[in-house]
Amino acid sequence: MRILVNKVHELVLRSMLISIILFLTMIILFSERLVKNELQTFDLITTQIKEYKNNILLIGLLLEDRIAGVNLKKDNVDKYVDLPLGGIYKLDIEKFTREEYLVLQESKELFNYLPNFYNDEHYLLYYRSYIGRKLFTARRHPDYILTENVFSSERLKKNRSSTLYGSVLDLKDRVIISGIYTDDITGNYIVTIGTPIYKGDEIIGDINIDIYIENGIFLNDGKEINFNKNGFYNIVLIEHKSYPLHFFSYSKEYVIDNNTMFIYKVPFSKIIVDFIWLFIGLIFLMFYILYKLSELKGNKIKLNYAESVVNLDELTGLYNRSILNDDVLLNKIVQEKSSIIAIDGDKLKYINDNYGHHIGDEAIKQISHGMRVTFRDSDYLIRTGGDEFLVILPNCDSTAAQRLAFDLQENVSSVTFSSYSLSVKVSTGVTSILKKETLESAINRADTLLYSEKSKRK
């Protein structure tokens, strides 16, 4: 059980290590693309702001110019009041000023030329009158009630959404761009672009367009919006402070107008945290792969052991005859000059008949011991049956093989075995494997040489 627990523990640690390396590598390789995806919505917002900045400035200049050049006749007042503009909202002053009548009249014509501003629900175009405290909108909102908030100096200054409270620098290009704040009418996040309407040197109202930031998730997933002054620029800073180490971040700046800059910061930790599910998935995947590889390795070890057991002689631990069909062995003798020594125990029958087969087995073990002492680990030591043995020597010529055969005879006969202090001798037949010769043919020749030597000893 402990072995299994240790194995699982090791696999988990290795899976986590590999997963960390893979995860960080993927984050590094794809970080630019991931950051680009994160910035996509923000890029859309700033693109819209830049696009409508020029449009709202043009509308404001046209309205101001036409108001200054129109003489309003008293008998036309009622007709102007009934103009089907979007919405007319009054705070506390019922009567319309001359300028408000003119704005109503000229706006009606402008809206006919600018249907997108009039109909599109992605933004709202409106005129805010400071002298008459009224709001004229391009679209009507039946449930909306005008409140003091629309004219509150505190709120307008905080959001930077009014030209009336803009500085000389702010109004240098006749456009003010707010920060991101919540709209009174819809409750959505918006950015307001405004341009003043002057009467002489006095700002009597402003034309504004509220751009709705539709992707609420963009601003609701832990982002914080802050406004501050940094030297020349009014800064709208959007950042993720909820992420660890958020100050290590990718920062992108957008200069919106002559003194307004939007900055969006994406913490590097956000990419890691947002894709933590991928890391967890990698751990499980790596654990599964490593477990399967471990299982395959275990099966391979078992298979190799089973194969080795099949190829081993039970009594001596040497190879048995089945090793002669091994592909590795056959490839070696083809690629390298090799030799064969055929070995046979002398007078083993006498030992079996007079001392018993168990002593005969000890004689066979003595021969196998002498073989291990004499030959290299890379040589193939084989018991072919009974007291017959074979040695295949890769990369060994016949001269060296003859010397090794002599050493074998000495190593076997010089050591006694059993309680009877017996000794045994062996006969050998040595030959080289000829080029393109089969192993069987070389073995037969070695056997012939062996029996030739054995007959000389009788």
Side-chain angles (χ1 to χ4, degrees):
M1 183 66 180
R2 176 173 290 183
I3 295 174
L4 178 61
V5 171
N6 290 338
K7 181 181 178 181
V8 171
H9 185 256
E10 180 187 354
L11 287 176
V12 170
L13 289 177
R14 289 174 63 190
S15 299
M16 291 187 68
L17 179 61
I18 295 172
S19 298
I20 289 171
I21 294 172
L22 286 175
F23 181 68
L24 292 179
T25 301
M26 291 171 69
I27 291 295
I28 292 170
L29 289 176
F30 296 102
S31 58
E32 185 176 349
R33 182 177 298 177
L34 294 173
V35 169
K36 186 176 180 181
N37 289 340
E38 183 67 27
L39 292 172
Q40 189 173 9
T41 303
F42 190 64
D43 288 340
L44 178 61
I45 294 169
T46 54
T47 300
Q48 285 181 325
I49 292 172
K50 289 179 179 179
E51 180 181 343
Y52 297 127
K53 171 188 167 183
N54 294 329
N55 292 338
I56 201 70
L57 176 60
L58 179 60
I59 292 173
L61 289 173
L62 286 171
L63 274 178
E64 187 176 301
D65 180 66
R66 297 178 77 171
I67 288 172
V70 173
N71 290 319
L72 182 66
K73 295 180 180 180
K74 186 70 176 176
D75 59 356
N76 287 334
V77 168
D78 293 337
K79 182 173 66 174
Y80 298 140
V81 172
D82 294 333
L83 284 174
L85 190 66
I88 299 175
Y89 305 96
K90 305 172 186 179
L91 189 60
D92 49 20
I93 302 175
E94 287 294 327
K95 291 183 179 181
F96 288 84
T97 67
R98 171 186 177 277
E99 289 75 18
E100 288 170 349
Y101 281 124
L102 291 173
V103 167
L104 288 173
Q105 180 187 28
E106 300 303 326
S107 297
K108 175 66 165 54
E109 294 184 22
L110 280 174
F111 293 160
N112 287 333
Y113 292 108
L114 299 168
N116 288 338
F117 281 116
Y118 187 79
N119 297 316
D120 201 313
E121 295 183 357
H122 293 89
Y123 36 75
L124 177 65
L125 182 67
Y126 61 92
Y127 173 75
R128 175 169 43 202
S129 171
Y130 294 114
I131 56 174
R133 291 164 66 83
K134 298 181 183 66
L135 196 69
F136 305 152
T137 61
R139 291 196 311 279
R140 184 174 283 109
H141 295 270
D143 298 328
Y144 176 65
I145 299 174
L146 185 63
T147 66
E148 189 67 42
N149 255 350
V150 175
F151 301 96
S152 167
S153 60
E154 182 181 352
R155 182 173 184 273
L156 295 176
K157 287 177 182 178
K158 179 183 177 182
N159 297 328
R160 297 184 65 252
S161 57
S162 168
T163 60
L164 185 62
Y165 301 105
S167 66
V168 174
L169 182 61
D170 290 334
L171 296 172
K172 186 177 180 181
D173 61 352
R174 290 187 60 111
V175 174
I176 278 188
I177 299 175
S178 74
I180 300 172
Y181 66 101
T182 305
D183 177 33
D184 256 1
I185 298 177
T186 63
N188 294 327
Y189 286 110
I190 60 170
V191 172
T192 299
I193 306 173
T195 186
I197 302 297
Y198 286 94
K199 182 179 181 181
D201 294 331
E202 180 189 4
I203 296 177
I204 60 171
D206 46 33
I207 288 288
N208 302 280
I209 182 168
D210 288 347
I211 301 175
Y212 295 104
I213 302 173
E214 289 185 293
N215 191 352
I217 297 175
F218 175 73
L219 292 176
N220 289 331
D221 62 348
K223 296 183 183 70
E224 290 187 19
I225 305 169
N226 296 297
F227 306 93
N228 55 70
K229 189 84 172 177
N230 185 2
F232 181 76
Y233 286 103
N234 295 310
I235 303 296
V236 180
L237 179 61
I238 303 172
E239 55 185 338
H240 301 259
K241 287 190 175 180
S242 60
Y243 286 89
L245 303 174
H246 64 87
F247 39 83
F248 293 111
S249 60
Y250 174 86
S251 180
K252 190 165 186 179
E253 301 176 351
Y254 295 88
V255 177
I256 302 298
D257 62 9
N258 62 325
N259 70 331
T260 305
M261 179 186 294
F262 278 40
I263 300 176
Y264 181 37
K265 291 187 175 182
V266 182
F268 296 118
S269 59
K270 182 181 188 302
I271 298 173
I272 295 175
V273 172
D274 287 357
F275 286 89
I276 198 68
W277 58 269
L278 178 60
F279 175 64
I280 295 172
L282 281 173
I283 292 176
F284 282 103
L285 178 62
M286 288 300 105
F287 181 83
Y288 177 77
I289 291 173
L290 290 176
Y291 176 78
K292 285 298 180 182
L293 288 175
S294 175
E295 197 175 54
L296 288 173
K297 183 179 179 181
N299 291 338
K300 185 177 180 180
I301 291 172
K302 290 177 182 178
L303 180 61
N304 290 339
Y305 175 76
E307 288 178 348
S308 65
V309 169
V310 170
N311 290 331
L312 292 181
D313 175 63
E314 186 176 354
L315 178 62
T316 62
L318 302 180
Y319 287 118
N320 58 33
R321 290 188 65 89
S322 62
I323 195 65
L324 297 175
N325 298 316
D326 184 71
D327 291 335
V328 176
L329 169 61
L330 296 175
N331 287 333
K332 278 189 177 182
I333 63 177
V334 169
Q335 296 172 6
E336 303 171 2
K337 185 175 182 181
S338 303
S339 297
I340 294 177
I341 303 177
I343 304 164
D344 189 74
D346 293 339
K347 299 182 179 179
L348 259 294
K349 187 175 183 306
Y350 173 80
I351 294 174
N352 285 327
D353 292 343
N354 291 278
Y355 298 98
H357 286 280
H358 64 288
I359 301 298
D361 288 344
E362 289 191 36
I364 291 173
K365 290 180 182 179
Q366 171 59 23
I367 295 172
S368 68
H369 173 73
M371 292 172 69
R372 286 195 175 92
V373 171
T374 304
F375 300 106
R376 304 168 297 182
D377 291 339
S378 58
D379 297 330
Y380 288 81
L381 314 182
I382 306 165
R383 182 188 178 200
T384 55
D387 58 354
E388 296 177 352
F389 300 85
L390 198 64
V391 180
I392 300 176
L393 303 103
N395 196 23
C396 180
D397 59 25
S398 59
T399 302
Q402 289 286 0
R403 186 175 64 254
L404 288 170
F406 177 77
D407 292 342
L408 172 65
Q409 290 172 343
E410 290 293 319
N411 290 333
V412 171
S413 63
S414 62
V415 178
T416 59
F417 64 92
S418 82
S419 57
Y420 299 104
S421 297
L422 300 174
S423 63
V424 65
K425 294 181 179 181
V426 294
S427 299
T428 59
V430 181
T431 188
S432 292
I433 302 175
L434 302 178
K435 190 173 182 180
K436 295 184 179 181
E437 183 181 24
T438 64
L439 180 59
E440 182 181 3
S441 174
I443 292 172
N444 289 336
R445 186 167 60 257
D447 282 339
T448 300
L449 294 171
L450 165 66
Y451 291 113
S452 176
E453 179 185 335
K454 202 172 182 70
S455 63
K456 292 177 183 178
R457 291 189 178 189
K458 290 181 180 180

